[in-house]
Every structure is written in C-alpha cells, then in structure tokens.
Amino acid sequence: MGSRTRRWIKRIGAAFLIVMVTIGAVEAGLAFFDPLGARYFNEQNALFFRETAQVDPRGYGVQPGTYRASRWSFTILPDGTRAVPATQPNAARTAVFIGDSLTFSYGVDDSDTWINLLAAEFPDWHFINAAMPAYSAVNYARALTVYSEADAIFVVTIPNDSSEPPAIAPFDPVPPITPYTLLYWRLLSRQISVKARTAEELAHIAADWEASLRALNADPRVTIITFDNGPYADEVRAVVPDAAAVGYFSERISAVDPHANPAGN
C-alpha cells in the first residue's frame, strides 16, 4: 500500500470519526435539552406499546405499577386503570371515563389529570380513568363489557377515532424508539404524519367507528363527548345527535405535542 493511499485512508477515517462524534454530541444535546419537547413521542412508545403492554378486554392495557417518565409519572392500578388519587373507591356511585391519551391525560402526573380534578369536586362518586393512549371508538365499545356495573360512563371521542384502527395487543410491529437526531429532523422537515391508508382501509375504519358510536349510544348510561374546535363534532352528532361538545384546551405539554399540560387539564 502506497503512502498516498494510507493518507487517504487516514483522512477518511478522521472524517468518519468527526461525523460520528458530531452526531453523538447532537444526539446527547437534543436528548438532554429537548427544546421542542419531542421526548413525549418516544416516551409514549416506551411506556405503553412495548414491554409494558398486555392483552386486555378493552384492546390493550399496561401492566400495573408506577411508571416514571422524564417530566411526569403515572400509576396503573391492578384493574388496569389509571390511578385517580382524589376519588372515593367506596362511594355509592361509579363513573367511568373512556377515551384515548387526552382522556388518560398523557404527559401529566396522576394528581393533575382532569378526571382527578373532577373527582375532587364530586366526592360522592367513585371515578375510574379507563382510558389508554391510541384507543379508538372500537376500544371504547369493548370497554362497555368491562364496566357493566358502572352508574355512568363518559366517552371522549376525538377526530383520529374515525381514521385510525383500534389498539389491540400484542402490537406488531412494536413501535420503535427513534433517535432524537432523526426525530428532530422529521419534526423540522414536517415529516411526522399518520400512516397512509388505502380508501378500503379508511372505509372499514369509518364503518367500525360509526357502529361503535351507535353501540355506545344505545347504552343509557353513556354520555358521548367531543371537542367543538372543528368539523368532527358535526360528524359525531350525525351519528349521535345528543353528543356533547366542549371547548378545547390551549395549554399543552410541549411545542410539538398537543396533549394538555396541568393548566390545560
């Protein structure tokens, strides 16, 4: 091997080392400082859809225990629901809340969830937070069989319920943990989007969504709630005319994650 070739090999090796060190430094910096709050994307996959996920009549659940994320924590009770610290388990009446991550109050501690805040206002009721991230209308309908003894059931539905399939364990493929460098690149280049689906898939999801809402509405204990910040409320009312619409929150957990922070709850 000639001296010129050796010099080129050294230069390529040095350049590769510089690139790898730079990427490592950027990755470490983004993971530590996380200026946009992108960590919530990875935390959701890690805390709900990977090793902790388990089969559940609602579709999927999370193994009981207390889970600590970077800036918040939550507790899953033995029955698979989220802890509601302010509620009275021995109250004469029970209210169950079913929904996805907005109802679960993803991103805030147990004490800051809107269901816990309501529980403190209604000590004569036992409040149950049976929501889970990624649930859809099919999951909500499946939950009815679990809470046959509840006195009141509140179902919160949001727009992606009519365009995303239900969350059913076991998950295949298992959602990945994305490097922060790649995650920020996707965010800044606007490449974060929902999975593209065929017209046939969307039609099937929409049919299941409508059938599930009708099944929920047929139960006299159920009140269906949505948000009044878009056309989805009209779509829900076309199926459930007496559905309630409430105002949308403005305070969120990060610049890129739309879940409500404690003030939003």
Side-chain angles (χ1 to χ4, degrees):
M1 181 183 299
S3 59
R4 184 176 182 181
T5 302
R6 287 195 295 269
R7 286 197 300 271
W8 273 109
I9 290 175
K10 289 181 180 179
R11 289 172 182 172
I12 293 172
F16 178 78
L17 180 61
I18 291 171
V19 170
M20 295 305 296
V21 170
T22 301
I23 292 175
V26 171
E27 178 71 16
L30 290 176
F32 182 78
F33 294 105
D34 191 20
L36 297 181
R39 71 184 68 228
Y40 293 102
F41 291 103
N42 276 338
E43 287 180 347
Q44 182 164 271
N45 286 347
L47 295 171
F48 294 91
F49 307 134
R50 295 171 66 85
E51 290 81 4
T52 63
Q54 63 181 11
V55 175
D56 186 281
R58 296 167 293 172
Y60 91 93
V62 172
Q63 298 168 20
T66 296
Y67 296 86
R68 301 192 183 282
S70 56
R71 298 173 183 173
W72 64 290
S73 66
F74 64 94
T75 299
I76 301 297
L77 302 175
D79 66 355
T81 64
R82 183 172 187 178
V84 183
T87 198
Q88 303 296 325
N90 297 321
R93 295 177 294 179
T94 298
V96 177
F97 294 79
I98 304 170
D100 72 342
S101 53
L102 290 181
T103 307
F104 184 87
S105 290
Y106 179 84
V108 302
D109 295 334
D110 295 330
S111 59
D112 291 323
T113 69
W114 62 268
I115 293 176
N116 189 64
L117 299 176
L118 279 177
E121 297 292 325
F122 296 92
D124 295 336
W125 285 78
H126 175 206
F127 280 32
I128 296 175
N129 186 344
M132 279 287 158
Y135 271 7
S136 73
V138 172
N139 296 106
Y140 311 156
R142 290 176 63 141
L144 283 182
T145 62
V146 180
Y147 303 105
S148 58
E149 301 300 317
D151 297 285
I153 298 176
F154 298 91
V155 175
V156 181
T157 179
I158 64 172
N160 60 11
D161 288 344
S162 62
S163 59
E164 292 295 312
I168 308 292
F171 297 110
D172 184 26
V174 175
I177 303 300
T178 305
Y180 279 89
T181 307
L182 179 57
L183 188 57
Y184 266 79
W185 170 258
R186 289 175 177 173
L187 286 168
L188 294 175
S189 60
R190 301 183 183 275
Q191 295 181 36
I192 295 288
S193 61
V194 298
K195 179 182 177 181
R197 304 193 184 279
T198 66
E200 183 179 359
E201 288 174 325
L202 290 172
H204 180 73
I205 292 170
D208 284 346
W209 168 81
E210 181 175 343
S212 297
L213 287 188
R214 293 191 185 280
L216 289 161
N217 193 49
D219 190 317
R221 302 170 301 158
V222 172
T223 298
I224 295 177
I225 304 169
T226 190
F227 294 103
D228 62 4
N229 63 325
Y232 184 69
D234 294 330
E235 296 174 21
V236 172
R237 287 198 175 110
V239 180
V240 182
D242 59 348
V246 298
Y248 201 70
F249 54 87
S250 59
E251 302 290 335
R252 40 198 282 175
I253 57 177
S254 82
V256 295
D257 192 302
H259 293 95
N261 66 9
N265 274 269

